[in-house]
Amino acid sequence: MKRQTVVWIAAAAAAFAVLLPLFLVRTRYASEQAGRRARIAVLTRREADVGTSVLFAGMEKAAEDGKLVLNYVMVPEDADAEAELKLARQEIEDGAQALIIEPVASEGSGKMAEELSQRAVVVLLGERADTEAAGRFGSVSADNYAIGVALGREIRKGAAETGGSVALLPAAGSRGSVEQRRRGVLEALRGSGISLQEDAEGAAILAGLEDSALTEALSYALTAKDRPLVYGIGNSNRNLYGLDRGDIRAMIVINEFNMGYLAVAEAKKKLSSRLREMEQLRVGDTLVSRDNMYSAENQKLLFPLVR
């Protein structure tokens, strides 16, 4: 064997001996990373019951598809924006790589999302920020103002039949998405001569601007001496039952399964590609009445968990 060949083989063997440990370390690291699921913290005031909430069912489906772990964090009912921000910061400290946040207020939501997006992926749930996102954080929401306008038009139809005043529930002090719906209703009622009152008692029409408020309106109406007409925005089983019985005249249903799924999917996309600009996504809504709730299309919307 020639001397040059021997030297070449010896050099190759030495290089292999140096590179092999590095290769093994990198392979082991890649394997560990592949088996480690990214954790997303979901900050919400809602009861995170996957069995009954289509919103969280949609999230869980997206997490399953994306091999992610979701951690639900209950935001206290009396929490303000600063308290929610502190909870979000703590979740990042505890290892969350992404945050899905249902803002307690529209005002300041953009500033909060901007700050948090420096340390984690951020998706706002249910409404858009009050500032320009510029691709740094995402959101998934319905067009809450347009939903309010549609609800207001239905209220006008009811008021033409019954006369009397209208009570919007909750009266005040709600998160930004609800206030946007309220503005939409007021715009639709402008110039109609319909009077508004804060309390449910004595109202000819009750309108719930969110699912829990619609449930409250329904409960009051069922016990009232002079039963008012009930309209609202919701999707819970109790309110669907009220719609089916005719106790709720009409209900606007937001596609919350898609909302939950898209929020998690948007976070996943950003985690997979940090250079990707995040999107501001809209989900649809449908006006449902007793007459059309059992159409094939509405069945998919109202009962997405039924296969």
Side-chain angles (χ1 to χ4, degrees):
M1 185 178 293
K2 295 182 179 181
R3 179 179 177 80
Q4 288 181 342
T5 302
V6 172
V7 171
W8 183 87
I9 293 174
F16 181 75
V18 171
L19 294 176
L20 179 60
L22 296 176
F23 174 78
L24 292 175
V25 168
R26 289 179 63 86
T27 300
R28 185 176 64 183
Y29 176 76
S31 177
E32 289 175 351
Q33 289 298 101
R36 185 180 301 153
R37 295 189 173 196
R39 185 166 74 84
I40 299 177
V42 181
L43 279 69
T44 177
R45 283 180 170 176
R46 311 188 197 194
E47 186 70 30
D49 187 344
V50 177
T52 59
S53 170
V54 295
L55 174 73
F56 298 119
M59 287 185 176
E60 289 293 334
K61 176 58 178 170
E64 178 185 349
D65 292 345
K67 296 179 172 57
L68 303 164
V69 175
L70 301 182
N71 179 45
Y72 297 100
V73 181
M74 291 299 296
V75 178
E77 190 64 32
D78 59 350
D80 57 12
E82 184 60 31
E84 188 173 46
L85 177 59
K86 289 180 180 178
L87 284 174
R89 288 171 179 159
Q90 186 59 54
E91 286 301 310
I92 295 174
E93 292 294 331
D94 292 342
Q97 295 162 271
L99 302 168
I100 296 175
I101 305 174
E102 197 169 25
V104 299
S106 289
E107 186 177 357
S109 59
K111 182 179 179 181
M112 174 183 68
E114 180 71 32
E115 176 190 323
L116 295 171
S117 67
Q118 305 302 314
R119 304 173 59 196
V121 173
V122 177
V123 179
L124 298 183
L125 182 69
E127 60 185 273
R128 294 187 175 183
D130 61 343
T131 59
E132 180 61 42
R136 291 184 290 273
F137 54 87
S139 69
V140 184
S141 65
D143 190 338
N144 291 298
Y145 181 82
I147 288 172
V149 171
L151 179 61
R153 289 171 179 162
E154 292 302 307
I155 293 171
R156 285 187 74 147
K157 294 177 185 177
E161 298 176 19
T162 65
S165 59
V166 176
L168 302 179
L169 305 177
S174 301
R175 63 181 186 272
S177 58
V178 174
E179 290 308 312
Q180 290 169 24
R181 295 168 192 171
R182 188 190 312 280
R183 288 198 295 270
V185 170
L186 295 179
E187 174 61 27
L189 298 182
R190 189 155 60 98
S192 66
I194 297 172
S195 60
L196 297 175
Q197 62 180 66
E198 292 189 359
D199 299 327
E201 185 175 357
I205 295 177
L206 301 179
L209 299 177
E210 59 181 342
D211 190 77
S212 61
L214 179 55
T215 300
E216 180 185 344
L218 176 60
S219 298
Y220 176 84
L222 292 176
T223 60
K225 181 179 179 181
D226 296 317
R227 181 178 294 191
L229 298 181
V230 178
Y231 296 86
I233 300 160
N235 63 357
S236 66
N237 289 336
R238 180 169 183 181
N239 288 331
L240 289 175
Y241 182 63
L243 185 69
D244 187 40
R245 284 170 49 95
D247 297 325
I248 296 175
R249 176 69 69 93
M251 182 167 74
I252 295 177
V253 180
I254 298 169
N255 194 331
E256 290 203 336
F257 186 90
N258 275 4
M259 184 182 291
Y261 191 97
L262 290 173
V264 174
E266 182 66 11
K268 168 67 174 179
K269 289 177 183 178
K270 183 64 173 180
L271 288 170
S272 300
S273 178
R274 291 288 183 170
L275 296 178
R276 177 182 178 275
E277 288 193 355
M278 300 194 72
E279 298 183 46
Q280 314 304 308
L281 304 173
R282 290 286 200 199
V283 296
D285 58 87
T286 303
L287 177 65
V288 182
S289 66
R290 186 182 189 184
D291 295 334
N292 68 8
M293 69 179 296
Y294 287 107
S295 70
E297 186 175 352
N298 284 340
Q299 283 291 284
K300 293 178 182 178
L301 172 66
L302 300 177
F303 307 105
L305 304 183
V306 177
R307 297 290 184 265

